[in-house]
Amino acid sequence: MTATIIDGKAIAQELRGNIAIAAAKLTKEHGIVPGLAVVLVGSDPASEVYVKSKSKAVTEAGMKSFDHKLPADTSQADLLKLIEQLNADKTVHGILVQLPLPSQIDSTLVLNSVDPGKDVDGFHPVNAGRLATGQRALVPCTPVGSVILAKKMHASLSGMDAVVIGRSNIVGKPLAQLLLAENCTVTVAHSKTKDLKDVCRRADLLFAAVGRPEMVRGDWIKPGATVIDVGINRVPGEGGKTRLVGDVNFKEALEVAGAVTPVPGGVGPMTIACVILNTLRAACASAGLPEPKV
Ligand code: NAD
């Protein structure tokens, strides 16, 4: 058996096109141009690449991008002052503070200072609480993108057994909440889970968000299951270069699963698309408009 490879790049491209159409409609009918402010402190190369691709995606969707690049020795007080300004700025609908922040800055304090209505990363406790209680919320982008990919394979996820490996606030926990809202029976596995392989083998939908290269082997997967690989791991490649692999052994998964996401080209592109989706959603909510249909 060879699994379907879920083309996250193509699905993200289609989503970005739909977001651009919805953003143009918002501008035409309500005079609102959604705006995203991205704050980068320091010059971590991976963060710089990520921030650039976000800004490009925002501009391509017909939205405004405001980039704030601060030196690595920026004080916590100065960063908080900038966030206060962005919170008050009516042209800014989304604020994204790129992590990790330098050690002199308390990340939790900074993330909690973002207006929850502009929190396009969905990390603020108000948004986490709203998600958990089924209220309109800004939800972390990677879990949203992961569920969209699963739904491309299944018209309904209702009643399916979903296993999420990983319980971080950024991926595992919000992903579990989204799957519950889709009426899945959800198991959250983590570093202390016993018999992880057997737990995984029960899954109709298996999500791996661990950060361990190719940890999930072929015999951890129920035949025909849909496997969404969130992991991004850099491992040594040919000629002294590094290459990216996921948390799932892709080759083995292809032999057993019904569908599987590749790394790169699976969840990664969806995360970027969902940043602009959340910016659009935040802009609509700020104007008292219903959720945009994309
Ligand atoms: P994290 O380190 O915060 O959490 C990892 C989780 O994995 C923890 O909850 C831990 O309990 C669990 N875990 C660790 N070792 C385990 C083991 N041996 N068995 C079972 N569970 C184990 O990581 P995170 O921020 O949630 O990210 C997870 C992965 O997803 C990383 O590879 C990260 O790079 C990737 N990621 C990708 C995107 C994307 O856009 N595709 C976005 C965010 C994170």
Side-chain angles (χ1 to χ4, degrees), residues 62-232:
M63 304 179 181
K64 273 193 210 138
S65 169
F66 308 96
D67 288 349
H68 296 267
K69 205 165 174 290
L70 308 179
D73 61 357
T74 299
S75 71
Q76 181 170 291
D78 283 348
L79 180 56
L80 290 173
K81 208 183 288 164
L82 171 63
I83 290 175
E84 208 176 294
Q85 283 165 13
L86 297 173
N87 282 342
D89 187 338
K90 294 244 179 313
T91 63
V92 172
H93 302 93
I95 302 169
L96 203 149
V97 182
Q98 184 63 39
L99 298 177
L101 289 168
S103 57
Q104 76 275 15
I105 295 172
D106 177 346
S107 302
T108 306
L109 186 75
V110 169
L111 295 179
N112 289 357
S113 72
V114 174
D115 176 345
K118 297 190 179 190
D119 168 39
V120 286
D121 258 336
F123 295 163
H124 195 289
V126 166
N127 279 315
R130 294 180 73 88
L131 171 63
T133 50
Q135 300 177 61
R136 190 172 176 177
L138 288 167
V139 181
C141 300
T142 301
V144 170
S146 302
V147 172
I148 292 174
L149 292 181
K151 288 178 83 172
K152 284 280 172 190
M153 293 297 117
H154 304 275
S156 165
L157 306 184
S158 184
M160 294 180 96
D161 278 322
V163 171
V164 177
I165 325 175
R167 56 173 161 184
S168 70
N169 291 336
I170 294 172
V171 188
K173 282 184 203 159
L175 183 51
Q177 292 293 354
L178 286 174
L179 292 166
L180 262 184
E182 294 289 340
N183 297 317
C184 291
T185 303
V186 183
T187 303
V188 181
H190 47 78
S191 54
K192 301 285 187 285
T193 296
K194 281 185 283 177
D195 307 323
L196 184 58
K197 176 175 158 181
D198 291 338
V199 171
C200 292
R201 277 184 66 86
R202 291 205 302 259
D204 303 312
L205 300 172
L206 179 60
F207 296 83
V210 187
R212 290 185 171 245
E214 302 179 319
M215 184 183 85
V216 175
R217 306 298 303 261
D219 62 354
W220 294 31
I221 298 168
K222 178 176 174 175
T226 295
V227 180
I228 309 290
D229 188 353
V230 182
I232 300 177

